[in-house]
Amino acid sequence: MADSVIHADKLSETQFEYMKLIAELMEIRKRGEKPVAFIRTYGCQQNVADSEKIKGMLSVSGFVFADAPDDADFILFNTCAVREHAEDRVFGNVGALKNLKRKHPQILIALCGCMMEQKHIAERIYKSFPFVGLVFGTHSLHHFPELMYSSLVNGRRVFERGNDDNKLYEGIPVRRDGVFKGWLPIMYGCNNFCTYCIVPYVRGRERSRETDIIVSEAKEMINCGYKDITLLGQNVNSYGKTLENKTNFSQLLRKIDQIDGDYWLRFMTSHPKDCSKELIDTIAESVHISRHLHLPFQSGSDRILKAMNRHYDRKKYLEIISYAKEKIPDVSLTSDIIVGFPGETYEDFKETLSLIREVEFTSLFTFIFSPREGTPAAKMEDPVPAEEKSKWFRELLDVQEEIAAKRCSSMVGKTEKVLIEGKTGKDNELIGRTSGNIIVELNAPEELIGTFQNVKITKARNWILKGELE
Ligand code: SAH
Ligand code: SF4
Ligand code: F3S
């Protein structure tokens, strides 16, 4: 089926009016003092990017931001639904706000994000957490000011889950958390329906932002001093399918790469089914794209990949990897893996182990399968007991530790360009990352935070490198 063209709408003037009304209301309530917001974000960078928009709208509404909920007038948790553990953490942390609300009844407690797009969750919040005054899902971001104003002014509980999953909004103010590392969403939603995954149900269908808008936002970020920009999407390799002027992901990367400046360009996540040779050539030929490919394979077993609805097999995955290694010899590879998918046997799991041995990833994000209500995998038979899955999981970690140590030791003696990101907490010790996204610790003056430095790698400790300024 051809993807239909999706045009972006602009954030309406009405929402800016509501931001003004919130500012006026809070000025009266706080008697001229600035209102304070506390935002906590769970989950992936998509959520981080959404929180930066919420903070943008709150800034326009006159809010400043706190690092803890205690003195806030507005508390918001932006939630993640990807695994049960993520949801449990949210429930636990929301429960802990009950006393705060009792002490300060005037505060507004709100929940938003992926969890809130699920009916059963919104209902549970409604019943079990009466002190939560505002709930909205990922599709309601473009009228957050209206929803917030309505709950502030009426004192009534406002619950909204949107259904307009084919919409795209531009012009939402953004307040970025980082000053040299920044996120740049290029598309929203997902059409892949991997059988274990809740994301397509809570984020709606795939829709891409206009190329020109992305390129000018990247330009703006680079001019403001951003040194490390990550393009975001659930499957960036299928970028552009909903655009009128079709542009594919490689073409978008090439356009951004042409912008002058000293910066790195990263992206996530790539889906192996759409990972083209053109993309790898683009990385290899670029000036700014980091030498890093995060390419989640999930399982090394073809039988399981099929059950996961991933649309590639082990052979295709390994072909992409060997092409990447050939064209980008210093490429750093990372991946996501699910252990214990329903019906997975130890034999299947061994295929995953053999794949990681073959590829030699720098690091892995590993997860034990978590059934998500409403997804096909949640209904599949899952006979392997949890303790057995945990055993496999530990085996996977042990093998990867060995591989990462070998991979990192091979870098000792080399000089790497490193972006210095912050302090480790130990005296004079700073932390940075290589183009391949590998962590480097070094002793250097604090003033270097936010700059690129050439660092000689002197030691490797598992997946962390130690180095010194050259
Ligand atoms: N769009 C990205 C991933 C988004 S979710 C991609 O396709 O690669 C991030 C990771 O969470 C997934 O890659 C997967 O490894 C893991 N994950 C998603 N749903 C899960 C579930 N139900 N149980 C365990 N892990 C899950
Ligand atoms: Fe989930 Fe698959 Fe979409 Fe990634 S590609 S968000 S794993 S459905
Ligand atoms: Fe979680 Fe939603 Fe991201 S479910 S992983 S925050 S898209």
Side-chain angles (χ1 to χ4, degrees):
M1 199 180 72
D3 293 272
S4 51
V5 169
I6 298 171
H7 292 286
D9 287 343
K10 241 185 111 40
L11 184 67
S12 77
E13 276 308 314
T14 320
Q15 297 308 316
F16 284 95
E17 290 297 321
Y18 279 113
M19 292 180 221
K20 227 196 265 163
L21 288 172
I22 293 172
E24 286 164 10
L25 185 69
M26 292 311 291
E27 185 159 0
I28 297 168
R29 286 195 185 170
K30 298 276 294 180
R31 300 201 176 87
E33 229 179 86
K34 284 206 176 282
V36 179
F38 170 73
I39 315 293
R40 178 179 286 158
T41 308
Y42 299 82
C44 69
Q45 278 73 19
Q46 300 274 347
N47 253 18
V48 174
D50 281 353
S51 289
E52 292 183 341
K53 286 187 188 148
I54 292 170
K55 286 183 194 169
M57 292 185 270
L58 286 169
S59 287
V60 176
S61 311
F63 277 80
V64 291
F65 298 91
D67 297 330
D70 311 279
D71 300 317
D73 304 288
F74 178 58
I75 298 174
L76 174 79
F77 288 177
N78 188 3
T79 63
C80 168
V82 81
R83 280 170 293 276
E84 198 179 349
H85 176 67
E87 293 194 339
D88 288 346
R89 270 178 60 211
V90 169
F91 282 123
N93 291 336
V94 174
L97 294 176
K98 191 175 172 182
N99 281 339
L100 200 62
K101 176 77 181 176
R102 198 178 289 144
K103 259 201 275 165
H104 308 287
Q106 75 290 358
I107 57 175
L108 174 59
I109 297 177
L111 299 173
C112 70
C114 294
M115 260 173 95
M116 301 306 131
E117 283 296 342
Q118 302 174 98
K119 193 160 169 262
H120 68 282
I121 299 279
E123 284 172 358
R124 181 169 162 195
I125 301 281
Y126 195 83
K127 277 204 216 106
S128 313
F129 300 95
F131 54 89
V132 173
L134 169 62
V135 162
F136 59 97
T138 59
H139 299 306
S140 305
L141 216 61
H142 62 281
H143 56 139
F144 159 66
E146 183 177 352
L147 297 173
M148 179 169 172
Y149 183 70
S150 154
S151 55
L152 278 173
V153 88
N154 300 324
R156 259 187 259 127
R157 302 178 82 194
V158 174
F159 276 58
E160 189 184 87
R161 287 186 311 116
N163 302 309
D164 53 342
D165 60 4
N166 253 346
K167 289 257 172 90
L168 180 64
Y169 290 88
E170 293 295 350
I172 302 182
V174 178
R175 184 186 182 278
R176 293 201 155 84
D177 294 333
V179 287
F180 53 87
K181 248 179 111 131
W183 314 109
L184 176 45
I186 62 166
M187 61 202 294
Y188 303 99
C190 179
N191 286 356
N192 293 313
F193 291 96
C194 302
T195 51
Y196 50 81
C197 185
I198 196 72
V199 172
Y201 304 88
V202 294
R203 290 238 161 219
R205 294 294 63 72
E206 191 176 289
R207 48 223 190 266
S208 298
R209 299 179 71 196
E210 290 290 339
T211 312
D212 292 348
I213 294 183
I214 298 169
V215 173
S216 64
E217 204 168 316
K219 225 177 247 169
E220 212 180 285
M221 289 174 80
I222 292 160
N223 290 339
C224 285
Y226 282 88
K227 300 268 184 279
D228 187 315
I229 297 172
T230 304
L231 308 181
L232 294 180
Q234 292 299 347
N235 175 13
V236 291
N237 297 342
S238 74
Y239 170 79
K241 288 188 181 153
T242 58
L243 296 177
E244 192 157 2
N245 300 316
K246 299 272 181 276
T247 303
N248 71 22
F249 183 52
S250 299
Q251 290 163 334
L252 172 70
L253 282 173
R254 283 182 197 270
K255 281 196 179 168
I256 302 176
D257 186 43
Q258 280 167 16
I259 304 171
D260 282 337
D262 195 12
Y263 63 92
W264 279 337
L265 192 57
R266 303 183 184 276
F267 53 86
M268 65 190 290
T269 300
S270 284
H271 193 306
K273 84 179 163 69
D274 302 306
C275 187
S276 62
K277 287 192 168 168
E278 185 192 3
L279 173 66
I280 290 167
D281 294 340
T282 305
I283 304 173
E285 290 156 20
S286 77
V287 180
H288 300 103
I289 306 174
S290 63
R291 271 40 188 165
H292 173 208
L293 190 59
H294 178 63
L295 198 60
F297 71 90
Q298 314 295 358
S299 167
S301 151
D302 284 345
R303 200 175 69 81
I304 298 299
L305 285 173
K306 213 171 168 109
M308 287 176 164
N309 192 33
R310 290 288 287 179
H311 294 282
Y312 55 86
D313 57 14
R314 178 188 177 97
K315 183 163 167 274
K316 167 155 190 221
Y317 186 82
L318 289 171
E319 274 166 17
I320 307 169
I321 296 292
S322 63
Y323 189 74
K325 285 182 176 172
E326 179 196 326
K327 292 283 166 164
I328 318 162
D330 55 343
V331 70
S332 160
L333 297 158
T334 57
S335 194
D336 294 353
I337 297 177
I338 296 177
V339 173
F341 184 81
E344 182 174 347
T345 61
Y346 188 64
E347 289 307 305
D348 293 310
F349 172 68
K350 278 204 306 210
E351 302 259 321
T352 296
L353 287 183
S354 82
L355 195 143
I356 66 167
R357 284 206 166 96
E358 190 165 341
V359 176
E360 300 197 324
F361 293 97
T362 325
S363 61
L364 292 175
F365 297 90
T366 45
F367 310 103
I368 292 183
F369 169 75
S370 167
R372 306 284 63 216
E373 193 172 319
T375 64
K379 293 193 210 82
M380 293 177 189
E381 237 177 282
D382 191 5
V384 177
E387 310 83 73
E388 185 67 11
K389 291 186 183 184
S390 299
K391 235 163 70 191
W392 300 357
F393 187 76
R394 282 195 302 274
E395 192 175 347
L396 178 68
L397 297 186
D398 287 345
V399 172
Q400 178 54 27
E401 199 166 304
E402 213 181 280
I403 296 168
K406 183 175 153 207
R407 175 85 182 65
C408 287
S409 323
S410 74
M411 295 176 75
V412 174
K414 291 190 181 155
T415 296
E416 288 276 333
K417 182 173 172 178
V418 170
L419 178 62
I420 312 288
E421 292 183 353
K423 300 192 223 171
T424 61
K426 282 189 223 139
D427 274 355
N428 295 328
E429 196 177 58
L430 302 184
I431 188 164
R433 272 169 204 271
T434 66
S435 166
N437 216 23
I438 305 174
I439 294 174
V440 183
E441 293 173 347
L442 69 160
N443 286 325
E446 231 177 89
E447 302 81 75
L448 296 186
I449 294 174
T451 66
F452 286 113
Q453 298 294 328
N454 286 328
V455 175
K456 178 138 187 210
I457 307 302
T458 51
K459 240 198 264 171
R461 184 165 45 82
N462 296 332
W463 55 92
I464 296 178
L465 301 172
K466 295 264 178 196
E468 50 196 40
L469 289 176
E470 217 184 41

